[in-house]
């Protein structure tokens, strides 16, 4: 039983023009696929081979001897979370359960986006920026490379991939513009609400 890449939750061109079909064809079709393929190679014939993805991640997290398994497994999980963090016609201030929590934590949606953008831009090199729930509080955190917020302490609500491969074809070196566009036009707040409640 190999790890399978979940289908994209929308058509490849559904986020045009904010996030191009060209970007998705490489990002989902090549990068995400490579993490899946590499993961299946490194777990083949091991006791992790038939485990669900979350169990694989938990089993190897923090074990430097298993970094190859962790990095590929975590990137599979992170990318699936990222695709679900966007939707056609998304973005703008949320209206569901997460809205009041954002206002309480950051003052306003605009202030939240400013803080998130600063954190995402401040993540040196490759990584991820996340809105997480930590107890009753919402926080913005960033993680390097393949790392992710770790439950149960931190529960991921929404994420932006800030690896260059996520935005270079559409935004070149302008990471702040990509993050702004994500929150203006792409963010799937239904997904954040679902994660908050789950
Ligand atoms: Fe990515």
């Amino acid at each position: 039983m190999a790890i399978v890449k979940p289908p994209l939750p929308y058509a490849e061109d559904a986020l045009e023009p904010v996030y191009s079909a060209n970007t998705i064809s490489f990002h989902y079709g090549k990068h995400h696929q490579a993490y899946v393929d590499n993961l299946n190679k490194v777990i083949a014939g091991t006791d992790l081979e038939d485990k669900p993805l979350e169990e694989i991640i938990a089993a190897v997290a923090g074990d430097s001897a298993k970094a190859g398994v962790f990095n590929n497994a975590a990137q599979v999980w992170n990318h699936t979370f990222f695709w679900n963090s966007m939707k056609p016609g998304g973005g703008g201030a949320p209206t569901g359960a997460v809205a009041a929590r954002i206002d309480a934590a950051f003052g306003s949606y605009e202030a939240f986006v400013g803080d998130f953008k600063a954190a995402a831009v401040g993540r040196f090199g490759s990584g991820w920026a996340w809105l997480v729930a930590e107890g009753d509080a919402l926080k913005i955190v960033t993680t390097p490379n393949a790392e992710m917020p770790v439950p149960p302490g931190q529960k991921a609500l929404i994420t932006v991939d800030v690896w260059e491969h996520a935005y270079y074809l559409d935004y070149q070196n302008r990471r702040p513009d990509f993050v702004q566009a994500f929150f203006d036009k792409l963010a799937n707040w239904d997904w954040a609400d679902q994660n908050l409640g789950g």
Side-chain angles (χ1 to χ4, degrees):
M1 187 184 73
I3 296 292
V4 174
K5 185 176 69 169
L8 200 62
Y10 31 73
E12 281 200 354
D13 63 355
L15 306 180
E16 292 265 12
V18 191
Y19 204 65
S20 69
N22 190 34
T23 289
I24 292 190
S25 75
F26 279 97
H27 197 181
Y28 175 75
K30 305 290 187 193
H31 291 278
H32 195 174
Q33 188 64 51
Y35 295 126
V36 171
D37 294 345
N38 289 334
L39 175 62
N40 283 322
K41 273 182 210 155
V42 293
I43 62 174
T46 75
D47 59 353
L48 297 173
E49 189 171 25
D50 295 320
K51 296 278 196 301
L53 183 61
E54 286 81 0
E55 276 187 39
I56 295 172
I57 293 169
V60 299
D63 182 350
S64 58
K66 301 276 179 63
V69 177
F70 175 81
N71 286 335
N72 285 292
Q75 283 293 78
V76 172
W77 191 92
N78 290 346
H79 280 89
T80 299
F81 199 92
F82 175 61
W83 303 125
N84 282 292
S85 292
M86 302 187 285
K87 68 173 185 179
T95 55
V98 78
R101 304 282 293 272
I102 284 178
D103 288 345
F106 306 103
S108 67
Y109 180 68
E110 291 70 25
F112 157 72
V113 172
D115 289 355
F116 195 104
K117 198 157 67 170
V121 170
R123 163 50 56 195
F124 184 80
S126 297
W128 299 81
W130 310 79
L131 176 65
V132 304
E134 192 176 287
D136 290 335
L138 294 195
K139 290 184 177 175
I140 296 161
V141 299
T142 69
T143 56
N145 302 314
E147 289 179 32
M148 60 181 64
V150 179
Q154 291 186 334
K155 186 162 59 170
L157 303 182
I158 203 164
T159 194
V160 180
D161 185 345
V162 296
W163 285 58
E164 277 191 350
H165 70 224
Y167 59 85
Y168 210 84
L169 293 175
D170 292 327
Y171 297 89
Q172 292 77 51
N173 60 329
R174 303 189 310 278
R175 188 187 289 185
D177 291 359
F178 167 53
V179 176
Q180 186 71 49
F182 177 95
F183 285 110
D184 287 347
K185 304 273 178 60
L186 299 173
N188 181 2
W189 291 116
D190 300 333
W191 175 247
D193 281 343
Q194 195 179 315
N195 291 314
L196 189 62

